[in-house]
Amino acid sequence: MHPIDTTPHLPANRRGHDLRLGLTGRRATMTRRRASVVMAVLAVVGGTVLTACDGPDTTAVAIEDVEFTTPLAIPPLAESRIASDGTRVFELTAQEGTTVFRDGVGTSTWGFNGSYLGPTLRAERGERVAVEVTNALDERTTVHWHGMHLPPEMDGGPHQVIEPGEMWRPTWLVDQPAATLWYHPHPHGETERHVYRGLAGLFLLEDPAVSPELPREYGVDDIPVVVQDKEFDDDGQLTLGTGRQEPGLMGSTIMVNGTIGAYQKVTTERVRLRVLNASTARTYNIGFDDDRVFALVGTDGGLLAGPHETTRVRLSPGERAELVVAVEPGETTTLNSDSPALGRVAAPAAYGGEDVVPILELRAAQSLAPSPELPEKLADVPRIPESEATVTRDFQVAVRMINGRRMDPERIDEVVTVGATEIWEVESIDPFTHNVHIHDVQFQVLDIDGEAPPPELAGWKDTVYLEPRRDYRLIMRFEDYTDPDSPYMYHCHLLRHEDEGLMGQFVVVGAGQEAASSVVTDGGGHGGH
């Protein structure tokens, strides 16, 4: 068996000069850093971690052929109460249960307030919220509010552990645009298993001040679509497989909101689909089997400036997209993920890209209630000026490392000053597909290999797919919260990658303040340009 080649092969338009800044010295510095990272990667890959015989396995998975015969389960809206101080309080209990995905077969699962998945939380901008999370499992877990801007000690990352039988009550002020966010466990080294067993749910943010004419009746014309792939053993139990596939499980069974073979009755002229890729490894190319045009109206962090008409949008694990699709009376169409033969997956190792995946059937009624026309403008999405950035940080992602290091819970990798605007340059320098999720902030994609991002990446994002050996420049502001003792995470959201070390930590400090940790390291940040 031969080690996988991890030598960085730059795209042709990046060889020999820097298209963005023309800073030859800086490019040379980055090249030296990249070379040192590659040597660190080779030291691992050349050993016993990964070889060409066991990864990456991008063989097309035989997707289970199912008929759309089961009504789509709609997660209930979570109940809440208003405390004496005006705080909206939700209650979640992580618990074991049994779920019948197929007739006559009970599958052991986990869920929040039920046997599988969790209720949809909904709050408005300007509200103070609290979530009382009780752990009724027999092992520790956490709950991370993915995409939420909040203090680090409320973030629910690997440091906010909830022991069995304990309750954790994070509270924070919702102060960000309307968006489709989600929540899921984040225990160090165990995130893949906890999410896979069923611990996940949506968290919808509304903004009364920005309320464009979009479908908004939850469960009627505003539909949650939590997409996951699963693998069952002969006894009907969930299995994560043998680990042969490099990114993690690539399941042959597709479910939406925990429903296999799901269909949704559509009773209005337009329907809004809030699509979450809650799979642990699979990337989807979301569209319809008849290639109809739909409007992409929102991404991870909120609405786009205006509707973007398209036929496909790529979602890697953790990413969200809000789609508005028009239907005709009596027709049927299927939400699916298509093949890279149509040119919609840029990298051969875009896990799941070689599979044609039916997801959800939409069945339009013979008579449809009218829907408002989509407005030309949805929201103000001002671009963050690049000139505001005072710090640029470089991140080379490879196998299970960032900048040549695996995750260490005792090490702070980056120290950020509150109020700063920063550019993070992120690149996957090996053949594997990755993505990157950054806690606390919503960022904007400045460019990819020096070119402007496509329309689907022009809005607010907290997770972005990384095509191998391409340079993504992300710009973000770090506002409001400081804590030298409590870190946020940044990591690959292919959950096996995250669990095995592809994650780092940063703290946000006040001006002149230092991180409390004595093991702060240089993660490649530099300023002044």
Side-chain angles (χ1 to χ4, degrees), residues 68 263-264 266 288-290 292 327-335 360-366:
F68 295 103
Y263 70 86
Q264 173 65 26
V266 179
F288 292 89
D289 61 344
D290 54 12
R292 68 178 57 202
V327 295
E328 297 293 332
E331 75 170 343
T332 297
T333 186
T334 301
L335 189 75
L360 171 67
E361 186 176 86
L362 299 183
R363 299 179 181 178
Q366 294 298 326

Side-chain angles (χ1 to χ4, degrees), residues 177 299-305 319 379-389 421-426 436 438 440-448 451-466 471-479:
T299 52
D300 299 344
L303 297 174
L304 299 178
E319 290 185 283
D380 289 322
V381 187
R383 301 294 297 176
I384 303 176
E386 184 175 348
S387 60
E388 287 188 6
T421 298
E422 298 196 357
I423 295 172
W424 288 23
E425 293 200 26
V426 187
V436 62
I438 305 173
D440 180 50
V441 297
Q442 293 288 337
F443 55 76
Q444 293 176 340
V445 180
L446 274 178
D447 52 53
I448 305 170
E451 298 181 357
E456 61 268 23
L457 295 182
W460 294 109
K461 296 284 291 175
D462 55 54
T463 307
V464 67
Y465 175 95
L466 300 178
D471 189 33
Y472 290 71
R473 291 203 308 151
L474 316 175
I475 190 167
M476 64 208 78
R477 294 189 178 106
F478 294 89
E479 300 174 318

Side-chain angles (χ1 to χ4, degrees), residues 310-388:
T310 185
T311 60
R312 293 282 153 181
V313 59
R314 181 176 58 199
L315 295 180
S316 61
E319 290 185 283
R320 288 88 67 207
E322 295 188 30
L323 324 177
V324 175
V325 59
V327 295
E328 297 293 332
E331 75 170 343
T332 297
T333 186
T334 301
L335 189 75
N336 76 346
S337 178
D338 75 357
S339 165
L342 299 179
R344 294 182 175 117
V345 175
Y351 304 116
E354 297 186 5
D355 301 327
V356 178
V357 182
I359 296 173
L360 171 67
E361 186 176 86
L362 299 183
R363 299 179 181 178
Q366 294 298 326
S367 177
L368 299 174
S371 298
E373 295 289 333
L374 286 179
E376 293 184 4
K377 179 179 179 179
L378 297 171
D380 289 322
V381 187
R383 301 294 297 176
I384 303 176
E386 184 175 348
S387 60
E388 287 188 6

Side-chain angles (χ1 to χ4, degrees), residues 9 53 55 69 117 162 222 274 303 306 479 501 507 529:
H9 303 287
C53 293
T69 58
L117 295 180
I162 314 171
D222 187 354
R274 299 180 187 253
L303 297 174
E479 300 174 318
V507 293
H529 60 263

